Amino acid sequence: MTFGEQPAYLRVAGDLRKKIADGSLPPHTRLPSQARIREEYGVSDTVALEARKVLMAEGLVEGRSGSGTYVRERPVPRRVARSGFRPSGGATPFRQEQADAAARGTWESRSEQVEASGCVAERLDIRPGDRVMCTMYTFRDAGEAMMLSTSWEPLALTGRTPVMLPEEGPLGGMGVVERMAAIDVVVDNVTEEVGARPGLADELLALGGVPGHVVLVVQRTYYASGRPVETADVVVPADRYRVAYHLPVK
C-alpha cells in the first residue's frame, strides 16, 4: 500500500474507520490484531499500534480485558434541544435544557456555597473569591445519564433571598428567569458558547463514557441589564447527543 504524504498510521486508521462505518467491521467484531494489521498493510508494529490508538481515542473501538479490542456499538445520536428563554409559567431546569414539550426525564442536584474561581468570577463580573452558590445537576433520560450541568450564582445577588437555593424554597425547581423575577431582577438576555473537548475523568464516569471520549460543552450566561446573574457549564456526550437550537425569529 502506498501511503503518500499522510502519516502511515493515519492512513491505516482511516481505512479501518471506513470499514467500521460501512459495516465491514460491524459492532462487537474483534479489531484485526496488531500482527494482522502489520501484515495486511505492510507497516511496522509501531504504525499498527498507533493506528489502533487513534481508533480507540475516537471511541470507535474499546479494549476488553484479556480478550482484545472490539468495534463499539455506535448509538444513534439523540437531540438535546435548547431554546433560550422558556415561556412564563415556571419551567424546571430540566425543561429549560430540553425544550421539546415531549421530553421526559429525571435529575439529581446538590448545591453548596463556594468561592468563585478566577474563570467563574470573570464570567459573573465579580471578584475571585467572592461567594457563589454552586449547583451541580445530573440529568437522566430513561435512567441513563445524558447531561451534566454546573451553575454558579453570585450570593451578593441571591443570598438571604427565597431563591438562594435553586432547588429549594417556594421557587425551587423553577427556571433562572422565573427565580430572578421573584427578587425583581429582570433577565433580558442569554448567551451560549458551544465547544468540544475530551471529557474529564469524573464527567466520563458520570456519563458512562470511556477515556478519550469527546464531550460538548455549552457555556451559558444569563444577564439582567448587562449584569451576569447566572452562568453554567452544560456537558453532553458527543457520541450520543446533538445540541439543537430553536431560536425565535424577530
Side-chain angles (χ1 to χ4, degrees), residues 1 4 16 71 77 133 136 155 172 182 184 201 217 234 240 245 250:
M1 178 179 291
L16 292 170
V71 177
M133 183 63 71
M136 291 151 283
L155 284 169
D184 298 322
V217 181
V234 180
R240 284 181 276 151
Y245 281 84
K250 295 183 178 180

Side-chain angles (χ1 to χ4, degrees), residues 110-117 120 124 126 129-137 149-168 176 179-180 220 229-232:
R110 62 184 178 90
S111 297
E112 61 180 344
Q113 296 186 33
V114 300
E115 294 183 353
S117 65
V120 169
L124 288 174
I126 59 178
D130 282 357
R131 303 292 289 178
V132 295
M133 183 63 71
C134 175
T135 303
M136 291 151 283
Y137 294 90
S149 178
T150 304
S151 72
W152 299 270
E153 296 178 353
L155 284 169
L157 177 67
T158 62
R160 299 187 179 184
T161 74
V163 301
M164 184 174 73
L165 292 168
E167 293 296 317
E168 297 181 26
V176 174
R179 289 176 50 249
M180 292 298 166
R220 179 196 70 206
V229 298
E230 187 259 15
T231 194

Side-chain angles (χ1 to χ4, degrees), residues 19-212:
K19 290 180 178 179
I20 292 172
D22 67 17
S24 300
L25 287 172
H28 310 297
T29 298
R30 186 171 181 175
L31 192 71
S33 67
Q34 189 169 315
R36 176 72 179 274
I37 292 174
R38 181 191 64 210
E39 185 178 309
E40 182 176 344
Y41 292 93
V43 296
S44 67
D45 279 332
T46 299
V47 169
L49 177 61
E50 290 302 313
R52 288 159 62 91
K53 285 183 178 178
V54 168
L55 298 178
M56 188 165 291
E58 293 175 348
L60 296 174
V61 300
E62 61 184 357
R64 298 180 185 174
S65 180
S67 180
T69 304
Y70 292 79
V71 177
R72 292 184 65 240
E73 184 80 45
R74 299 295 290 171
V76 177
R78 289 171 282 176
R79 292 192 310 156
V80 174
R82 303 187 63 77
S83 64
F85 291 110
R86 296 285 297 159
S88 61
T92 66
F94 192 42
R95 293 289 188 179
Q96 285 189 313
E97 304 304 337
Q98 289 190 296
D100 187 343
R104 293 292 184 271
T106 59
W107 68 91
E108 305 115 36
S109 68
R110 62 184 178 90
S111 297
E112 61 180 344
Q113 296 186 33
V114 300
E115 294 183 353
S117 65
C119 178
V120 169
E122 181 178 1
R123 287 162 58 175
L124 288 174
D125 195 21
I126 59 178
R127 294 172 300 181
D130 282 357
R131 303 292 289 178
V132 295
M133 183 63 71
C134 175
T135 303
M136 291 151 283
Y137 294 90
T138 299
F139 298 100
R140 301 183 185 279
D141 181 12
E144 177 187 282
M146 48 81 67
M147 181 169 60
L148 306 175
S149 178
T150 304
S151 72
W152 299 270
E153 296 178 353
L155 284 169
L157 177 67
T158 62
R160 299 187 179 184
T161 74
V163 301
M164 184 174 73
L165 292 168
E167 293 296 317
E168 297 181 26
L171 293 171
M174 304 285 273
V176 174
V177 177
E178 291 81 5
R179 289 176 50 249
M180 292 298 166
I183 56 173
D184 298 322
V185 175
V186 179
V187 173
D188 54 18
N189 191 24
V190 59
T191 64
E192 293 195 350
E193 297 181 10
V194 182
R197 59 166 170 75
L200 303 179
D202 57 340
E203 294 170 341
L204 296 176
L205 180 63
L207 293 169
V210 299

